[in-house]
Amino acid sequence: MQPTVRRSEDLSRLLGACADGDREAFARLYQASSAKLYGIALRILRRSDLAEEAVQDAYVRIWRRASDFDPARASAVAWMAAIARNRALDIARLKTEAPLDDAPNAGDAILDAPSPEAEAELNDELRRLAACLEELESDRREAVLLAYRSGWSREELAARFGRPVGTLKTWLRRSLMSLRRCLET
Amino acid sequence: MSATDDTGEGLEGPDREGVAAEYALGTLSAVERAEVASRLDLDPELAEAVARWEARLAPLAFAVSEVEPPAGLWPAIERRVAAIAGGGRPALHVVKESVATPEEEPSGAWRIWAIAATIAAVALGGLFVRERMMERSIPGEPLVAALSADGKGPAYLISVDVAKRELTIRRVGAETPADRSHELWLVSDKVGKPVSLGLVGGQASRAALAQYDPATFEAATYAVSLEPRGGSKTGAPTGPVLWSGKLEPLPKTPSAR
């Protein structure tokens, strides 16, 4: 896997070729992005069979919807990551009982060892977001991180923080609005 | 508190931004997520709001550790994409051309349900190997799904005759409360909103899939929700999704496992 293909302009170009039905480009797109998408899905679903299902569905959707990708709206990797996350979350939410087996402090660190490419490429954006997250109260920040990265539901978060589900919903919505305000200033 | 009511109001009212944000964060329920997802193609404003939230939070996703996926994943994706691209349908879905189909005999029908139950048991035991199953499947044989909640035995089994575009659902472990109904939904992003296939009251019932193309109903998720007696009044699931599952091909030699 060559790091050069990871650059978002290259991924964008590959997505453009996929929209034209280029299966070769699709194979290279998979090569360049599958470890990222699988990592994201596995973190949420914590089971390799389910993560495989999510990523498989995600790439089929990426192929089908490649022509919808708009580089002005999001980077190629952000667009693909959102598709994989959404599929993983759909699967996670359809399970009525999700296990609470994440490490107790899984949500604390904002960064888990990003790849050097990811660091170089996204440092500014990530640093800004991390700074805004730091402004939240620590339990709220942890709730947002557990929800976003580990796919925890409101119910799971409510159990974890010993608060009613409605309170967690309020926490999450207020935290998100604070993040938006912070990012926009 | 009813999560569904929240979304129902939220999607129309001033709380759309909050719903879009929570959709991107991932904390909406299955039903709320399905509702939002089904709106995205029809409501550009909502789609824009969701896309913005996804972009705001995306740096966090990039900070998640990369994990190399198993080697079997790419061939599976390639097969599905080849089928879409018109490079021929995957072998397991080719419909048998012979006129006499032994599966239509009562003993054959019984065999299908026995195999479906085996698949369900194997799937729940965590030994399910999708790739191996696909290689073993017989062209033209039905696809089956076990509808279950995580970690529990199946409540319903589904068998789909792809050629006839017909679905049969059989109750195996479900109990319907006297004053409520179980309703079966086809959930697919190609269709948009979850579509009701009907109530599943009896021991076994049939539903036609004629209006969907096979690529849609083969890849769809089938879900049973708890609804007021007589079914959802709104055309969308209103109660919790109790069980769900996806179709799998039948293994060729389940007894030899």
Side-chain angles (χ1 to χ4, degrees):
Chain A
M1 200 176 287
Q2 315 90 325
T4 49
V5 218
R6 283 170 189 278
R7 284 212 309 273
S8 51
E9 56 213 303
D10 295 319
L11 289 178
S12 288
R13 223 189 34 236
L14 289 173
L15 272 175
C18 289
D20 295 334
D22 181 345
R23 304 250 303 272
E24 188 69 40
F26 184 58
R28 286 175 52 211
L29 184 75
Y30 177 86
Q31 263 239 317
S33 56
S34 56
K36 181 153 299 283
L37 268 52
Y38 186 69
I40 290 169
L42 191 61
R43 177 72 173 261
I44 290 171
L45 292 163
R46 302 186 283 263
R47 259 174 57 183
S48 57
D49 56 339
L50 295 179
E52 274 189 67
E53 180 183 335
V55 174
Q56 193 186 122
D57 291 348
Y59 275 101
V60 171
R61 188 177 170 91
I62 287 166
W63 170 261
R64 280 181 185 281
R65 313 280 297 232
S67 57
D68 292 354
F69 168 65
D70 176 2
R73 225 180 188 188
S75 73
V77 69
W79 184 76
M80 291 193 292
I83 290 175
R85 271 192 82 246
N86 280 324
R87 185 68 198 117
L89 288 163
D90 287 340
I91 293 173
R93 288 294 161 270
L94 280 171
K95 299 190 295 172
T96 49
E97 287 171 57
L100 268 170
D101 62 356
D102 230 333
N105 290 322
D108 280 355
I110 290 168
L111 282 172
D112 359 276
S115 61
E117 293 90 349
E119 255 202 300
E121 200 172 313
L122 298 153
N123 243 348
D124 287 351
E125 262 186 304
L126 183 57
R127 242 187 268 128
R128 262 183 84 205
L129 182 57
C132 289
L133 279 162
E134 291 296 338
E135 288 183 11
L136 299 175
E137 283 174 48
S138 68
D139 47 4
R140 281 150 219 229
R141 176 172 60 244
E142 192 184 345
V144 167
L145 289 173
L146 281 171
Y148 186 81
R149 291 199 308 211
S150 303
W152 285 32
S153 65
R154 288 178 195 146
E155 288 74 15
E156 288 170 300
L157 292 167
R160 158 80 183 249
F161 292 99
R163 301 293 178 102
V165 174
T167 304
L168 257 296
K169 181 177 159 182
T170 308
W171 278 18
L172 294 170
R173 296 232 175 153
R174 288 197 183 145
S175 301
L176 288 164
M177 297 311 146
S178 310
L179 282 179
R180 190 185 66 181
R181 273 195 303 277
C182 173
L183 288 168
E184 280 167 1
T185 51
Chain B
M1 158 191 143
S2 157
T4 314
D5 290 349
D6 281 355
T7 310
E9 289 161 20
L11 278 176
E12 303 304 338
D15 203 26
R16 278 163 69 93
E17 180 70 3
V19 173
E22 260 202 279
Y23 180 79
L25 182 67
T27 42
L28 297 181
S29 70
V31 172
E32 290 171 313
R33 285 187 62 78
E35 248 182 284
V36 174
S38 68
R39 292 280 196 103
L40 292 178
D41 282 336
L42 310 166
D43 187 340
E45 207 180 279
L46 182 67
E48 179 68 33
V50 167
R52 270 190 209 166
W53 275 108
E54 283 172 345
R56 281 183 195 113
L57 298 172
L60 282 176
F62 306 143
V64 170
S65 312
E66 298 193 354
V67 181
E68 215 47 63
L73 185 57
W74 171 245
I77 292 169
E78 222 182 2
R79 262 200 300 278
R80 282 177 62 186
V81 165
I84 300 166
R89 308 206 31 80
L92 71 111
H93 293 145
V94 171
V95 176
K96 205 187 281 179
E97 284 177 12
S98 63
V99 184
T101 52
E103 302 90 283
E104 279 169 11
E105 294 164 13
S107 63
W110 166 244
R111 195 182 129 258
I112 287 161
W113 291 112
I115 295 170
T118 309
I119 291 178
V122 172
L124 290 160
L127 301 168
F128 190 70
V129 183
R130 184 186 294 254
E131 286 309 300
R132 195 174 303 154
M133 307 265 298
M134 288 179 94
E135 282 155 21
R136 282 188 186 177
S137 65
I138 301 170
E141 286 236 342
L143 300 171
V144 295
L147 304 192
S148 57
D150 194 40
K152 301 217 184 78
Y156 286 99
L157 296 176
I158 283 178
S159 161
V160 168
D161 184 320
V162 179
K164 289 186 188 159
R165 299 194 180 190
E166 191 176 77
L167 175 150
T168 308
I169 181 163
R170 179 164 297 238
R171 175 200 296 267
V172 287
E175 293 283 347
T176 322
D179 55 340
R180 310 293 282 277
S181 293
H182 285 164
E183 190 158 0
L184 176 66
W185 304 88
L186 181 149
V187 186
S188 162
D189 56 24
K190 281 169 245 160
V191 175
K193 273 183 184 298
V195 192
S196 174
L197 296 175
L199 299 181
V200 285
Q203 273 306 312
S205 35
R206 287 226 152 101
L209 297 170
Q211 67 267 51
Y212 309 105
D213 74 278
T216 300
F217 68 71
E218 285 168 15
T221 296
Y222 293 86
V224 169
S225 67
L226 186 65
E227 299 295 339
R229 194 166 182 178
S232 165
K233 306 280 184 285
T234 66
T238 59
V241 170
L242 300 174
W243 305 283
S244 64
K246 296 194 77 141
L247 293 171
E248 299 290 345
L250 284 172
K252 196 175 197 168
T253 50
S255 54
R257 295 184 74 87

